[in-house]
Amino acid sequence: MKELQAIIQAYDLYKESNKMIALATVVQVDGSAYRRPGARMLVSEDGELTGAISGGCLEGDALRKAQTVIFQQKSLVVTYDTTDEDDQKFGIGLGCNGIIHLLIEPINYQSDINPIELLRIALQDRVSCRLVTVFSVKYSKQEQIGTKVLFKGSKLFGDKQHLEEDLWEKISHEIKTTDSANHSIVKFEELDDVQVFLEYIRPTIRILLFGAGNDTVPLAKMADILGMELVLIDGRKNLATSFRFPSARKIITGSGDEVVAQLEVDSFTAALLMTHNFEYEAMVLHDLIPLNLTYIGILGPKKKSQKLFERLQKQGVAVNQNPIFSPMGLDISAEGSEEIALSILAEIKAVFGGKSGSFLKEKNGPIHE
């Protein structure tokens, strides 16, 4: 998500100066690769790069290909085969051992539905989307249909005129049947001459950070690096300031029994209780539980949480402990506020990604399904 935000910001700057650009997108990967489908890199006519499509081994050649696309104003598909041990051009020594298909598209500033404008629409509000990109590996040198359509809720953005009717019907059907899927997929490989990348774009994770003490400052900074949206909540106006938390999208100050009502939440929202104030957090948790959040984290020992639960049960609040993580964070032997922040954010990432947070070396099969 951070990468998409950076690409849109760079696009706006290039548009002001009318600098020609192209967008390179990983649309299909066979085997192992450093980046997965959906990774992007924006290339300017003078060779500036925003984003990344690999660990650095493909960027140089992709830059040259993208500048050709800019000059010719014609999209194309480039295939990098890192399974060939005799081909050292692209840093095969990294051992990715995969085949990467890259779509490079020239960007037309005059179109309000060009690929980057569609990405902007996808990120404008907190609604999951499906971005449709059509390409052909078989006819890679021919001009590609490219990124044309965005499904966002019940709305459709883009231009489907370049899609044949039977292909459009297949895409529409696939969108409907995979509407609840929370991952990107490549379909219609069996047609041999065309592939469709259905990219799942979900809202960025929103962090409701209850606590403006010194120990939460590193967490706020790390959340910003990860592209997460931060909302800061505390009863202490002298601590909950934009000077101390410049990355906070919003700052709310007030008593524990009034702040939750001022919050906007959805299924991509995590709440972190880090105020070190038992009474404040008891009031906050009382109002958070009915919201059915995906993640509620409580800093501190289990005894503290147990007392909170007992308090709420006496007040008639049914405590569902499934979304409550206490003590929150992964067990990485964290010491100090920076390491604790790392532990907490790693756990949040795992929960929203549907993972256990275990060692990758213990996983059977590839890193990415």
Side-chain angles (χ1 to χ4, degrees), residues 6 37 58 83 93 98 111 138 153 170 212 215 279 284 294 332 336 339 349 358 368:
L58 305 181
T83 63
S111 171
K138 183 177 181 179
K170 287 177 178 290
D215 62 328
E279 295 299 329
V284 166
T294 303
I332 59 172
E339 293 181 1
K349 176 63 178 171
S358 58
H368 302 283

Side-chain angles (χ1 to χ4, degrees), residues 40 52 66 68 155 198 203 260:
R40 289 180 171 84
T68 300
K155 296 182 179 179
L198 300 178
V260 174

Side-chain angles (χ1 to χ4, degrees), residues 26 29-36 53 82 96-100 368:
V26 177
V29 172
D30 302 316
S32 177
Y34 185 79
R35 299 297 307 273
R36 305 304 298 169
I53 55 169
T82 64
C96 290
N97 201 35
I99 301 174
I100 302 152
H368 302 283

Side-chain angles (χ1 to χ4, degrees), residues 176-352:
K176 292 177 182 178
T177 56
T178 63
D179 188 50
S180 60
N182 60 355
H183 58 275
S184 301
I185 52 177
V186 178
K187 300 294 291 186
F188 315 133
E189 294 175 277
E190 69 275 6
L191 298 181
D192 189 44
D193 58 347
V194 66
Q195 290 80 40
V196 179
F197 177 37
L198 300 178
E199 183 178 4
Y200 175 70
I201 302 178
R202 69 180 189 180
T204 184
I205 296 173
R206 174 186 286 152
I207 302 292
L208 305 179
L209 178 55
F210 293 87
N214 292 338
D215 62 328
T216 64
V217 172
L219 189 143
K221 292 179 179 178
M222 290 185 189
D224 182 53
I225 292 173
L226 294 171
M228 296 178 177
E229 178 184 314
L230 181 72
V231 178
L232 180 69
I233 310 102
D234 202 300
R236 300 165 290 183
K237 293 183 179 181
N238 62 317
L239 295 182
T241 66
S242 58
F243 177 79
R244 284 168 49 78
F245 296 88
S247 63
R249 180 73 60 88
K250 187 177 183 180
I251 296 178
I252 297 174
T253 56
S255 62
D257 60 351
E258 64 181 8
V259 289
V260 174
Q262 303 176 51
L263 300 173
E264 296 180 1
V265 302
D266 54 32
S267 57
F268 299 99
T269 300
L272 312 182
L273 276 57
M274 303 179 66
T275 66
H276 302 281
N277 185 322
F278 182 88
E279 295 299 329
Y280 192 93
E281 293 184 2
M283 290 184 284
V284 166
L285 191 58
H286 177 280
D287 293 339
L288 283 177
I289 286 177
L291 300 180
N292 296 317
L293 298 182
T294 303
Y295 182 100
I296 299 176
I298 303 176
L299 186 68
K302 288 185 177 180
K303 288 183 178 180
K304 170 189 171 181
S305 299
Q306 196 58 45
K307 289 181 179 179
L308 285 171
F309 300 155
E310 291 172 359
R311 168 81 65 88
L312 294 176
Q313 288 168 351
K314 289 179 180 179
Q315 295 172 349
V317 178
V319 179
N320 176 11
Q321 297 188 27
N322 286 335
I324 298 177
F325 293 77
S326 177
M328 62 176 165
L330 297 181
D331 185 6
I332 59 172
S333 187
E335 292 285 347
S337 56
E338 290 82 6
E339 293 181 1
I340 291 172
L342 173 65
S343 168
I344 293 169
L345 292 173
E347 181 176 67
I348 291 172
K349 176 63 178 171
V351 169
F352 282 92

Side-chain angles (χ1 to χ4, degrees), residues 26-137:
V26 177
V27 289
Q28 184 173 343
V29 172
D30 302 316
S32 177
Y34 185 79
R35 299 297 307 273
R36 305 304 298 169
R40 289 180 171 84
M41 181 176 74
L42 187 65
V43 182
S44 70
E45 58 182 290
D46 52 1
E48 294 178 327
L49 304 179
T50 305
I53 55 169
S54 74
C57 52
L58 305 181
E59 273 71 5
D61 186 77
L63 165 61
R64 292 186 288 273
K65 297 279 196 311
Q67 289 178 318
T68 300
V69 166
I70 291 172
F71 176 75
Q72 297 179 347
Q73 288 297 291
K74 179 182 175 182
S75 59
L76 58 82
V77 169
V78 181
T79 297
Y80 297 102
D81 186 352
T82 64
T83 63
D84 186 354
E85 295 182 358
D86 294 327
D87 188 353
Q88 298 296 320
K89 287 191 300 181
F90 308 119
I92 307 306
L94 291 178
C96 290
N97 201 35
I99 301 174
I100 302 152
H101 303 290
L102 186 70
L103 170 67
I104 308 177
E105 302 173 89
I107 300 300
N108 177 12
Y109 291 126
Q110 304 305 315
S111 171
D112 59 0
I113 54 172
N114 68 47
I116 299 180
E117 292 293 351
L118 289 178
L119 287 173
R120 189 197 304 276
I121 294 170
L123 300 184
Q124 276 178 347
D125 47 40
R126 300 182 63 79
V127 178
S128 296
C129 309
R130 286 282 185 183
L131 185 62
V132 179
T133 300
V134 181
F135 62 100
S136 174
V137 173

